[in-house]
């Protein structure tokens, strides 16, 4: 949303920028690294780090800082209050019990997609994915099936702006890193109303996703199934799992 300049609190924005500097690549930051990541001076970053540590959101050894469990209050409040995860959880669990596979509901947040609901585990344990598939996990939108389904819901102008602001990093040899190629995949996802991605985010991992729309036809999330530990033919997945995803999307539409 856009607000008036007089209503914008710059100190909060800077503090959030410092907090968002912590990710899977850098779990521990000192003032210099936080400054580089947040676009602040070292002195400003240091003050924000110390303040966040004083408030209990960070822990420190005096030089480096890392997130404390207190930051989970935000995600816990979201999961407890948001209608989307609660509405989708029974469907995700039913799909997992029916197929012995893993299902997630995902939303778009900037250049990433975020898992907001995930099925329970009904199958034998599989290997842990490098980036994880836990609630709150953030994955690059350009390299995921859910990301492309959600990007397909953008208008042409919105998609152009999204692409202009992003660097499409290579995660595997199969990752598409050219804007033109990604546009083509997104256009195909829009035409098919689903997306299949194979080993673009992580080797040995494939995923199939469909959009989740509300009663007004707006795409509010994406539903996907993730398969690891082997290679599957896209035709087989489309035959066996795609109808289940489409049925589930129709089933939850009135709840979104």
């Amino acid at each position: 949303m856009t607000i008036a300049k007089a209503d914008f609190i710059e100190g909060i924005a800077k503090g959030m920028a410092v907090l968002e500097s912590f990710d899977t690549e850098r779990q521990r930051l000192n003032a210099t690294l936080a400054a580089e990541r947040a676009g602040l001076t070292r002195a400003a970053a240091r003050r924000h780090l110390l303040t966040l540590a004083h408030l209990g959101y960070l822990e420190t050894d005096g030089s480096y800082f890392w997130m404390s469990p207190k930051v989970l209050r935000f995600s816990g409040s979201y999961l407890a209050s948001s209608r989307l995860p609660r509405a989708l959880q029974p469907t995700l669990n039913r799909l997992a019990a029916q197929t012995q596979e893993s299902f997630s509901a995902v939303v778009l947040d900037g250049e990433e997609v975020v898992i907001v609901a995930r099925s329970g585990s009904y199958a034998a344990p599989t290997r842990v994915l490098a980036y994880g598939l836990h609630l709150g996990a953030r994955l690059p939108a350009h390299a995921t099936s859910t990301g492309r389904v959600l990007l397909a819901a953008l208008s042409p102008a919105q998609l152009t702006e999204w692409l202009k602001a992003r660097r499409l990093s290579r995660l595997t040899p199969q990752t598409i890193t050219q804007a033109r190629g990604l546009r083509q995949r997104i256009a195909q996802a829009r035409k098919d109303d689903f997306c299949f991605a194979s080993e673009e985010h992580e080797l040995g991992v494939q995923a199939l996703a469909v959009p989740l729309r509300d009663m007004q036809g707006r795409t509010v999330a994406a539903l996907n199934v993730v398969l690891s530990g082997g290679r599957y033919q896209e035709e087989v997945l489309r035959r066996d799992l795609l109808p289940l995803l489409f049925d589930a999307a129709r089933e939850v539409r009135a709840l979104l």
Side-chain angles (χ1 to χ4, degrees):
M1 63 179 292
T2 301
I3 62 174
K5 185 176 180 180
D7 294 327
F8 184 78
I9 303 177
E10 190 172 350
I12 292 180
K14 291 180 178 179
M16 294 305 297
V18 170
L19 201 56
E20 292 175 357
S21 298
F22 296 87
D23 56 26
T24 54
E25 294 179 3
R26 285 282 188 176
Q27 296 89 27
R28 297 189 175 217
L29 299 174
N30 57 20
T32 300
L33 291 170
E36 292 174 355
R37 290 185 146 228
L40 303 175
T41 65
R42 185 185 183 282
R46 177 179 176 274
R47 290 196 298 271
H48 284 293
L49 288 169
L50 290 172
T51 300
L52 289 166
H54 173 73
L55 294 173
Y57 293 106
L58 297 179
E59 296 180 2
T60 181
D61 60 5
S63 298
Y64 281 83
F65 297 78
W66 57 93
M67 286 188 171
S68 77
K70 189 174 181 178
V71 299
L72 294 175
R73 286 187 179 185
F74 298 113
S75 59
S77 296
Y78 169 77
L79 293 173
S81 62
S82 177
R83 185 177 62 174
L84 184 62
R86 287 180 292 151
L88 297 176
Q89 195 63 56
T91 298
L92 297 177
N93 290 342
R94 176 180 58 77
L95 289 170
Q98 183 178 352
T99 64
Q100 307 298 295
E101 302 294 351
S102 176
F103 294 80
S104 301
V106 177
V107 297
L108 183 66
D109 183 22
E111 64 184 21
E112 298 172 312
V113 292
V114 184
I115 298 176
V116 296
R118 188 166 185 261
S119 65
S121 178
Y122 293 91
T126 57
R127 70 185 184 86
V128 177
L129 305 182
Y131 289 84
L133 283 177
H134 55 275
L135 283 176
R138 308 178 70 89
L139 310 174
H142 72 282
T144 57
S145 61
T146 49
R148 291 176 189 169
V149 162
L150 294 169
L151 291 172
L154 300 180
S155 69
Q158 289 173 326
L159 180 58
T160 296
E161 286 301 310
W162 190 92
L163 288 169
K164 282 182 179 179
R166 310 289 177 248
R167 182 178 68 87
L168 307 180
S169 57
R170 182 175 298 282
L171 303 171
T172 76
Q174 281 71 47
T175 307
I176 294 176
T177 58
Q178 299 299 319
R180 182 177 180 181
L182 183 59
R183 276 185 182 275
Q184 292 174 345
R185 293 296 183 89
I186 292 171
Q188 190 64 49
R190 186 181 300 113
K191 177 182 177 182
D192 295 338
D193 210 30
F194 74 88
C195 180
F196 173 74
S198 179
E199 300 189 299
E200 294 187 48
H201 171 251
E202 185 178 346
L203 293 177
V205 176
Q206 297 168 293
L208 190 64
V210 300
L212 293 177
R213 299 187 177 93
D214 61 18
M215 294 301 289
Q216 287 71 47
R218 296 171 300 202
T219 298
V220 298
L223 168 66
N224 81 331
V225 56
V226 178
L227 307 107
S228 63
R231 294 189 60 84
Y232 298 80
Q233 292 295 323
E234 180 178 357
E235 293 75 13
V236 174
L237 296 181
R238 290 176 60 173
R239 181 195 67 204
D240 295 343
L241 294 176
L242 189 57
L244 297 179
L245 293 176
F246 280 141
D247 287 345
R250 286 190 291 268
E251 171 187 313
V252 302
R253 187 167 188 172
L255 304 176
L256 302 180

